[in-house]
Amino acid sequence: DAKTTQPPSMDCAEGRAANLPCNHSTISGNEYVYWYRQIHSQGPQYIIHGLKNNETNEMASLIITEDRKSSTLILPHATLRDTAVYYCIVRGETGANNLFFGTGTRLTVIP
Amino acid sequence: KAGVTQTPRYLIKTRGQQVTLSCSPISGHRSVSWYQQTPGQGLQFLFEYFSETQRNKGNFPGRFSGRQFSNSRSEMNVSTLELGDSALYLCASSRAEVGGGEQFFGPGTRLTVL
């Protein structure tokens, strides 16, 4: 699975959009981009995933660049409950069912 | 439907003891993965089971083992505990047979080794 690079921390004002970047320059054609988050001391929670088209669900939007070497997770209206560590993970659909977590981005939403 | 459950939630053991942790996946999920989370090493993959067979294993010593039962419930065992085994142990289940789809995590078991 391709390696990802994320900034270690970010702040966001409550009610504003949080844009979390991820670089995955070695991603291969059949690998998806997944995002999970982990609120303090809880199990990670799935947010969204995509291959090459932008994706949106009730939690967030995922924007993947045309060359697929980077992506951005967007939380449209951040709340205090969105304070968490966000992990960007790249994985293939035919490989093993395990996730390789990097260090993630610690997002702090400020009132 | 019920989520992934893990028991016990908290555990205190002493060095040299052994411990068994349990994970019940979401109904219908046949894949169960285990992870260890420590402040120093972050979230690391331990092993994955599918239909009672271990399919993948992370880079952990043989003291760490697991199994899966016919009802998909899984247990992991750590023998001869060391101080460094203190961690949050997370279990995740998935419907997917291979590679894809969402993994659902349990709340974890926090193990403290004294």
Side-chain angles (χ1 to χ4, degrees):
Chain A
D1 293 334
K3 184 176 177 180
T4 62
T5 304
Q6 300 177 251
S9 64
M10 293 181 63
D11 292 339
C12 178
E14 188 178 17
R16 303 296 295 269
N19 297 279
L20 292 91
C22 179
N23 285 318
H24 32 79
S25 58
T26 60
I27 193 170
S28 60
N30 64 348
E31 289 183 315
Y32 286 70
V33 180
Y34 279 77
W35 284 83
Y36 282 76
R37 73 180 181 183
Q38 186 176 27
I39 296 169
H40 181 63
S41 293
Q42 297 181 20
Q45 175 191 25
Y46 166 84
I47 301 172
I48 198 168
H49 76 283
L51 184 63
K52 51 186 171 182
N53 298 319
N54 298 337
E55 302 287 344
T56 296
N57 62 20
E58 66 278 3
M59 288 182 68
S61 294
L62 174 60
I63 309 298
I64 303 174
T65 57
E66 193 168 342
D67 64 7
R68 301 208 326 121
K69 293 184 177 183
S70 65
S71 61
T72 301
L73 177 75
I74 300 173
L75 308 178
H77 305 286
T79 70
L80 299 179
R81 290 179 297 177
D82 292 322
T83 293
V85 178
Y86 288 77
Y87 296 97
C88 169
I89 300 166
V90 172
R91 62 186 293 209
E93 290 293 277
T94 58
N97 240 348
N98 50 289
L99 299 171
F100 288 96
F101 289 86
T103 53
T105 295
R106 181 174 298 278
L107 175 69
T108 301
V109 180
I110 302 168
Chain B
K1 58 185 176 182
V4 177
T5 58
Q6 293 187 243
T7 56
R9 292 293 312 279
Y10 302 90
L11 203 50
I12 299 175
K13 292 285 188 178
T14 57
R15 281 183 300 173
Q17 288 187 309
Q18 67 93 25
V19 67
T20 300
L21 312 181
S22 180
C23 171
S24 292
I26 291 172
S27 177
H29 287 191
R30 295 163 64 191
S31 169
V32 174
S33 299
W34 288 89
Y35 296 82
Q36 180 197 64
Q37 185 171 28
T38 60
Q41 299 297 319
L43 266 161
Q44 292 186 289
F45 169 72
L46 277 158
F47 27 67
E48 185 229 353
Y49 287 87
F50 183 85
S51 293
E52 303 178 65
T53 301
Q54 185 183 93
R55 294 200 299 185
N56 296 288
K57 190 176 191 305
N59 189 25
F60 279 82
R63 300 185 297 107
F64 292 81
S65 63
R67 59 179 176 169
Q68 187 181 33
F69 302 95
S70 59
N71 62 358
S72 294
R73 189 177 69 86
S74 178
E75 290 181 346
M76 67 162 284
N77 184 78
V78 187
S79 62
T80 320
L81 284 166
E82 301 176 359
L83 295 179
D85 298 332
S86 293
L88 180 66
Y89 290 88
L90 292 157
C91 163
S93 77
S94 170
R95 184 187 302 277
E97 180 170 349
V98 290
E102 177 182 352
Q103 289 203 12
F104 296 82
F105 283 80
T109 294
R110 184 162 298 280
L111 171 65
T112 301
V113 182
L114 302 176

